[in-house]
């Protein structure tokens, strides 16, 4: 029977996946390249994830630009790349984030400091989903009260849970507090099943490779494909079209890939245009 149910769930994923709340665009079920906009101190930046510290807001910067966030949002809109994320790294990014959301209504997720009190204002500005990280994982565990409160405030289908993880003893564990704290929350079929009861999508950050352009964590991509039934996006280390291809194969076409610092629009070597072309090729 396992075979059959597996098949049915795949068929289900194929049909229901990726029709976002706001614009019911028919989006096919293959893997997508998802772009991003990282904001730090009110500017569009790309930073090395593991160097961001609480408190002083300092970090190792890979890239910084004076172009407005809306420039990137408009570009993603023109290139038909929905579902990318706008991340506010620390305070002072709220207005810049909203500016990006308004430039691509229904096309972006927003995260960083989101809670039940402020989530609605971002959705009202045009975010299709809000991304929640540390608000839900507290002191090494899932804070059920906070999770329920979020779901009641904005509904499950507008919520994306962001899990940052690192590998320990051959398994992936969630890390919180700007990646500085390990939790006992292990990523596997059971835990994904549990989390998917509270959100529309899951965004997974591979902390050890984030912002380092060292290639993707293949094992993690494969784990996501085999263990998670709702749309999942992997972020961390992607640097080439080969990585997109590898993620497509390992992820069985079910795991989307975010590319940030490796793109030439953010000072990297991978042509953004080539990534867009890759996406168009998938859609044919």
């Amino acid at each position: 029977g396992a075979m059959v149910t597996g098949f049915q769930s795949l068929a289900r994923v194929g049909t229901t996946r990726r029709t976002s709340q706001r614009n019911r665009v028919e989006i096919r079920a293959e893997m997508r390249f998802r772009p991003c906009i990282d904001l730090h101190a009110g500017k569009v930046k790309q930073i090395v994830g593991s160097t961001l510290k609480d408190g002083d807001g300092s970090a190792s910067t890979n890239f910084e630009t004076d172009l407005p966030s809306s420039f990137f949002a408009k570009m993603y809109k023109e290139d038909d790349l929905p579902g990318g994320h706008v991340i506010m790294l620390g305070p002072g990014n709220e207005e810049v984030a909203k500016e990006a959301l308004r430039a691509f209504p229904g096309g972006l997720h927003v995260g960083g400091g989101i809670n039940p009190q402020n989530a609605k204002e971002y959705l009202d500005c045009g975010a299709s989903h809000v991304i929640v990280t540390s608000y839900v994982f507290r002191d090494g565990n899932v804070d059920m009260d906070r999770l329920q409160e979020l779901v009641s405030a904005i509904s499950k289908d507008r919520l994306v849970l962001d899990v940052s993880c690192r590998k320990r003893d051959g398994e992936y564990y969630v890390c919180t507090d700007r990646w500085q704290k390990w939790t006992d929350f292990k990523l596997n079929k059971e835990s994904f099943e549990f989390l998917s009861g509270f959100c529309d999508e899951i965004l997974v950050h591979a902390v050890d490779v984030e912002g380092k352009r060292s290639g993707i964590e293949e094992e993690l991509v494969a784990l996501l494909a085999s263990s998670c039934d709702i749309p999942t996006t992997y972020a961390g280390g992607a640097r080439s079209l080969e990585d997109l291809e590898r993620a497509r194969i390992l992820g069985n076409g079910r795991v989307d890939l975010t590319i940030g610092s490796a793109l030439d629009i953010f000072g990297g070597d991978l042509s953004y245009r080539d990534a867009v072309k890759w996406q168009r090729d998938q859609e044919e």
Side-chain angles (χ1 to χ4, degrees), residues 11-30:
R12 192 184 70 242
V13 167
T15 50
T16 60
R17 192 169 175 210
R18 314 217 188 290
T19 30
S20 71
Q21 243 334 69
R22 179 74 51 94
N23 19 359
R24 293 246 161 231
V25 195
E26 190 40 54
I27 305 172
R28 293 175 216 74
E30 67 270 323

Side-chain angles (χ1 to χ4, degrees), residues 27 45 48 50 59 65 123 155 169 197 202 232 259:
I27 305 172
K45 289 190 189 177
V48 180
S50 52
T65 178
L123 295 173
S155 91
D169 304 329
I202 292 176
T232 319
I259 307 180

Side-chain angles (χ1 to χ4, degrees), residues 25-208:
V25 195
E26 190 40 54
I27 305 172
R28 293 175 216 74
E30 67 270 323
M31 168 192 174
R32 294 188 70 86
F33 150 54
R34 300 213 195 191
C36 61
I37 302 172
D38 285 1
L39 304 170
H40 185 247
K43 289 199 180 219
V44 175
K45 289 190 189 177
Q46 281 291 324
I47 65 170
V48 180
S50 52
T51 65
L52 187 65
K53 297 280 185 288
D54 280 322
D56 63 353
S58 67
S60 297
T61 302
N62 275 338
F63 170 83
E64 184 175 333
T65 178
D66 286 323
L67 286 168
S69 60
S70 55
F71 168 85
F72 295 96
K74 281 191 189 104
M75 185 163 70
Y76 301 158
K77 181 181 185 199
E78 280 158 21
D79 293 321
D80 189 24
L81 296 173
H85 52 255
V86 178
I87 302 285
M88 300 178 279
L89 298 159
N93 299 303
E94 295 78 8
E95 283 317 306
V96 209
K98 289 175 181 173
E99 191 186 315
L101 299 174
R102 289 187 195 104
F104 189 178
L108 291 163
H109 300 177
V110 63
I114 301 284
N115 58 47
Q117 286 67 47
N118 67 13
K120 195 176 176 313
E121 54 187 85
Y122 291 100
L123 295 173
D124 291 346
C125 281
S128 70
H129 294 72
V130 290
I131 300 170
V132 176
T133 318
S134 42
Y135 185 78
V136 170
F137 288 97
R138 216 173 28 159
D139 303 328
N141 264 309
V142 178
D143 187 322
M144 288 310 297
D145 293 343
R146 285 185 162 194
L147 196 48
Q148 298 286 8
E149 189 189 359
L150 270 166
V151 173
S152 323
I154 60 167
S155 91
K156 168 181 184 286
D157 50 22
R158 307 294 294 274
L159 188 61
V160 174
L161 288 182
D162 175 3
V163 293
S164 290
C165 65
R166 308 182 96 146
K167 200 171 174 185
R168 185 173 65 195
D169 304 329
E171 301 200 80
Y172 287 95
Y173 289 86
V174 171
C175 290
T176 61
D177 304 294
R178 298 264 198 269
W179 309 292
Q180 293 160 41
K181 200 183 273 178
W182 288 89
T183 70
D184 297 325
F185 197 86
K186 199 186 292 184
L187 292 186
N188 54 30
K189 203 157 181 54
E190 290 69 42
S191 59
F192 280 123
E193 210 160 284
F194 166 74
L195 292 175
S196 65
F198 301 94
C199 62
D200 197 43
E201 297 192 13
I202 292 176
L203 171 63
V204 177
H205 278 95
V207 179
D208 291 326

